[in-house]
Amino acid sequence: MVEFVEKNHDEEFLFTEANGTLSRATITLEQSARVYQPGDIVILISGTYVLATNALVDANVDADVSIVARRTNATAKDTKAAAIVRDAEVKAGYLTFGASTVLADLSPSLAEKNIIVLPDAA
């Protein structure tokens, strides 16, 4: 029997966000071989956002971080995407990031933007 695995739904990682559009913005994702998924933590490097990795965070301590809100295909070119950029509570288990990175490495950068990472069952 074939087993299917359902991917995260758009914005499924969100617990709460600020009223109106305070928490959201449009960002530009760098072209990538992989489709960006809801909950991907991205970091601003040279004018576009890329999937956050430990090496990028360490090398760019003050770099801007955001969370991709909706599945976005940037395989052909740099692409605009909806993102959570400030003032939100998010589910830890629904966040994704690059290899060799742990959420503890990214949480301080998110906290600076008042994005609070909570356990999934909060």
Side-chain angles (χ1 to χ4, degrees):
M1 177 200 248
V2 176
E3 184 175 318
F4 293 98
V5 177
E6 187 173 12
K7 296 181 180 179
N8 290 350
H9 295 272
D10 291 347
E11 302 169 14
E12 186 174 8
F13 63 90
L14 273 174
F15 269 128
T16 63
E17 62 181 303
N19 289 334
T21 58
L22 185 60
S23 294
R24 297 171 180 257
T26 300
I27 62 172
T28 302
L29 296 173
E30 184 174 271
Q31 180 181 359
S32 171
R34 87 185 259 290
V35 174
Y36 290 92
Q37 300 297 319
D40 278 354
I41 300 175
V42 291
I43 186 169
L44 183 64
I45 304 293
S46 302
T48 59
Y49 286 82
V50 299
L51 192 64
T53 64
N54 197 29
L56 288 174
V57 172
D58 288 347
N60 303 280
V61 176
D62 295 325
D64 187 45
V65 296
S66 295
I67 304 174
V68 176
R70 297 183 188 113
R71 188 169 288 107
T72 306
N73 187 342
T75 56
K77 62 179 181 171
D78 293 355
T79 304
K80 301 271 186 205
I84 300 298
V85 298
R86 68 184 80 77
D87 299 329
E89 295 174 316
V90 297
K91 302 172 190 174
Y94 290 78
L95 302 176
T96 50
F97 31 82
S100 75
T101 306
V102 294
L103 189 53
D105 296 333
L106 300 169
S107 291
S109 297
L110 293 169
E112 286 178 14
K113 300 182 83 177
N114 204 26
I115 299 174
I116 309 303
V117 179
L118 299 172
D120 294 346

